[in-house]
Amino acid sequence: MKFNIIKKNFLEGLNTVSKIIVQNTVNESQKGIKIELYKDKMILKGSDSMVFMEYSLAAFDEDKEIITIIEEGQAVVPTNYFLDIIRKAPTEIIEIESNNQTIKIKSGKSEFNIQGYDIDEYPDFPIIDKSNKFNMNTKVFNDIIRETLFCTAVNDQRPILEGVNVILENKFLTATSTDSHRLSKRRLLLENIDESQNFNIIIPRKSLQSIQKIIENTDEDLEIYYEENRIVFVYRNIIYSAILISGKYPNTEKLVPSIFECTVVANSKEMYYAVDRVALVSKDEKNDIVKLAINDGIVNLYAYSKELGTAEEEFFAETYNEEGKFEIAVSAKFLKEAISAINSENVIVKFSGELTAFIIQPSDYHRDIIEVLLPVRTY
Amino acid sequence: MKFNIIKKNFLEGLNTVSKIIVQNTVNESQKGIKIELYKDKMILKGSDSMVFMEYSLAAFDEDKEIITIIEEGQAVVPTNYFLDIIRKAPTEIIEIESNNQTIKIKSGKSEFNIQGYDIDEYPDFPIIDKSNKFNMNTKVFNDIIRETLFCTAVNDQRPILEGVNVILENKFLTATSTDSHRLSKRRLLLENIDESQNFNIIIPRKSLQSIQKIIENTDEDLEIYYEENRIVFVYRNIIYSAILISGKYPNTEKLVPSIFECTVVANSKEMYYAVDRVALVSKDEKNDIVKLAINDGIVNLYAYSKELGTAEEEFFAETYNEEGKFEIAVSAKFLKEAISAINSENVIVKFSGELTAFIIQPSDYHRDIIEVLLPVRTY
């Protein structure tokens, strides 16, 4: 393999692929980035066994030559070390040549001869089945990730809770996550989809984090292919495929209460910051509990820590509570994260009882999103 | 103690003082910031036993009332927790009231009642002897710190090496640091000082780091008072005093070579980045060694690692070497830090032998600074 390449373009590809590579893998060569050089393009590959990423770079971008391909071939380069060398290369054009497992990198008067990994040990990449497909805007998909990822379980005994359940049914896409203390559910209608397209999959948290890094701050088209045990995202010149979590996601419909005894409509920011301040007292405690007392147009917040002292807050809100004062104790962290996920000017909080789950929704119903939280049973 | 204060001004003082406070101290109340409220000002105090900081805040800044003093008094507040409360306070004016060890903080509808520390346990601050004094520009003093701090020893068996030796003699100030592998020495003439003023002190690294944080990016006047076991800096409304390291600093004059067999004048940036790149290969090794070969107008650099491979660089420089090729092995980290400390367009590197100390100086002699490095004896 032998080629010259423009540093900037090479670096962008290496940076993108490097983000998904882990160094604590059993297969040595999987610690590296695989460079495949063909007669008119380069493909950079990276994998952590569960996810596979391919980054294509054409030799020519319109009329400009990005890669001068001198000899086709392949190499697997040590990720971080190779990236450092390219990043610090002093010239715009970098010359790369590989011979067996030795890779020569030249940039001006700077020359490195480094050890690559064994190409034969590098894992095969999956062949993608393109029969089931739909498109989505990256911004919309990024929102769905933002709204659900934070509610996935971490190190749970049930691995299915460590992903987001995504269901496509009757043109509606529903994304649900729960860590069994709270739940987040976002629904949206996909206009341009065939009614016969249906699936029910669980996408691992880690894969969603990776795809989030790739599409963040973009507003473009994302192609999504789904197979029984795999989901594939195609964004620009990047192919990203992830193995799905197998198993049956629990039915979460029954966790959403439908009868309410107290409702609050509050300004999101005001409520968020009030909880945030009061929680200063309780944040070091195990459960970081905040107590809410709802009373005729006023919400009072209390927190207490044996070591630090007490905190009180009060803010005005529309309250609907026929039975008089309503009190509930909640996790400040969960409450803050739910308000953030809702991301609207005002939130509706509907309580069904002092010891039962309650819901949070945007007051304008602009997006079909619902947060369910369990109260804390002791204060 | 009872007062109202403008959040912004209070926060600035608390932030400044909090930087020097450590939480792993034996005296509980020393973990806090002491607030002393007098009839026309507030003094915030912080200490880590070795250093003492006082931050004064007048009740009025010209005509504007910063603090409304309702009742004089004192309190010691828990540093991080109190800072968080003030930082997140929703209103511009914050009301504080202390009663025994309980401190009430009110900001709008937000109210905290927290536990302070025992005032009686708070350490006394030293009384400053103002008989010996000189002034220095903060920018100049910051340069001296930058040029010497990095060469102080860390966790050395000889605590005196963990500070910077500062000598004032015949109007010349000399700052020296060494970790016994290398040495940095900066000298400058103090024009406006009495010739009879002399001292020879060792300022602890940690104190210099603290003072660096206070004066960074400023260009003002710094008053310096020195006593036998203490140095005091007065900058604006801040008094900062540090206990000196006692003992006799080693005579470092004899470590600076004076006979040279090879000299190189190189562009600082070019040399720095060449060393930086080559060191990519060796940086994970224990000694991160780079080999320099100087040969008639060219400097070649080499590095090698059993695991990673080899790196080579070459750059042009003025070389003065009558005996032909000169080779030496050095620590890349130390070489880079020395070039950075010199901070001039070109550096002169003077070698006295392949196994003896060498020096680095600015080529323009604009500042009187010299770096001494020991070569690495094996390659």
Side-chain angles (χ1 to χ4, degrees), chain B residues 55-332:
Chain B
Y55 184 100
S56 301
L57 194 56
F60 284 86
D61 182 10
E62 289 173 9
D63 272 353
K64 192 179 179 188
E65 188 172 37
I66 306 294
I67 318 169
T68 309
I69 293 144
I70 301 158
E71 189 190 317
E72 295 179 48
Q74 304 187 336
V76 183
V77 298
T79 305
N80 299 329
Y81 181 42
F82 190 78
L83 247 163
D84 279 343
I85 293 172
I86 304 302
R87 198 179 289 129
K88 294 191 172 181
T91 56
E92 198 204 333
I93 304 287
I94 297 166
E95 302 168 46
I96 310 269
E97 187 176 351
S98 75
N99 234 317
N100 295 321
Q101 260 172 254
T102 305
I103 298 136
K104 181 192 284 184
I105 306 140
K106 275 200 74 175
S107 165
K109 297 282 184 187
S110 167
E111 180 176 321
F112 287 82
N113 281 282
I114 67 169
Q115 272 307 99
Y117 293 111
D118 189 348
I119 300 165
D120 298 331
E121 295 292 317
Y122 198 81
D124 286 333
F125 266 45
I127 293 153
I128 293 158
D129 173 2
K130 296 208 165 183
S131 39
N132 290 307
K133 180 198 169 186
F134 65 102
N135 284 31
M136 193 173 262
N137 177 279
T138 51
K139 217 169 179 169
V140 174
F141 193 68
N142 200 39
D143 270 345
I144 297 173
I145 298 175
R146 187 186 57 75
E147 289 156 356
T148 53
L149 199 67
F150 74 100
C151 263
T152 54
V154 178
N155 297 326
D156 201 272
Q157 285 183 306
R158 290 150 298 174
I160 43 168
L161 297 190
E162 300 196 25
V164 173
N165 182 214
V166 183
I167 298 171
L168 178 64
E169 204 172 39
N170 299 325
K171 300 180 92 169
F172 270 98
L173 189 85
T174 311
T176 309
S177 61
T178 179
D179 61 5
S180 67
H181 302 286
R182 54 183 172 160
L183 180 147
S184 184
K185 196 184 277 281
R186 168 76 198 276
R187 243 164 64 103
L188 75 165
L189 178 66
L190 301 184
E191 300 279 0
N192 304 312
I193 204 164
D194 198 282
E195 222 163 302
S196 67
Q197 280 187 269
N198 293 301
F199 61 71
N200 186 336
I201 60 177
I202 307 167
I203 310 175
R205 181 183 47 244
K206 218 184 131 185
S207 306
L208 290 170
Q209 283 168 336
S210 300
I211 196 81
Q212 205 175 24
K213 278 183 204 151
I214 297 167
I215 63 170
E216 69 186 352
N217 303 321
T218 65
D219 185 3
E220 291 178 41
D221 199 49
L222 181 69
E223 291 172 39
I224 304 174
Y225 300 91
Y226 53 94
E227 302 170 33
E228 205 189 312
N229 66 342
R230 177 185 312 283
I231 189 158
V232 181
F233 301 94
V234 179
Y235 167 70
R236 289 191 190 172
N237 57 333
I238 298 169
I239 301 172
Y240 179 95
S241 72
I243 294 174
L244 299 169
I245 298 174
S246 60
K248 196 172 151 37
Y249 203 79
N251 179 8
T252 55
E253 282 305 327
K254 59 178 191 277
L255 302 175
V256 184
S258 55
I259 298 164
F260 304 103
E261 68 174 71
C262 173
T263 298
V264 173
V265 184
N267 177 280
S268 297
K269 272 195 186 156
E270 205 174 339
M271 183 164 177
Y272 181 94
Y273 286 114
V275 174
D276 189 42
R277 283 191 295 270
V278 168
L280 280 175
V281 162
S282 52
K283 75 173 177 187
D284 288 333
E285 306 280 307
K286 211 180 142 203
N287 286 310
D288 107 280
I289 299 164
V290 165
K291 199 170 171 182
L292 278 70
I294 294 130
N295 207 353
D296 207 12
I298 294 174
V299 178
N300 284 291
L301 299 172
Y302 306 95
Y304 163 79
S305 139
K306 211 164 65 181
E307 207 184 309
L308 298 173
T310 61
E312 288 181 46
E313 283 272 350
E314 158 182 326
F315 63 87
F316 299 108
E318 283 176 54
T319 60
Y320 305 91
N321 181 29
E322 289 177 17
E323 312 272 326
K325 192 167 174 177
F326 179 88
E327 289 195 346
I328 197 162
V330 299
S331 151

Side-chain angles (χ1 to χ4, degrees), chain A residues 321-334:
Chain A
N321 181 28
E322 288 174 19
E323 313 271 327
K325 192 168 175 177
F326 178 89
E327 288 196 348
I328 196 162
V330 299
S331 151
K333 178 176 178 281
F334 287 2

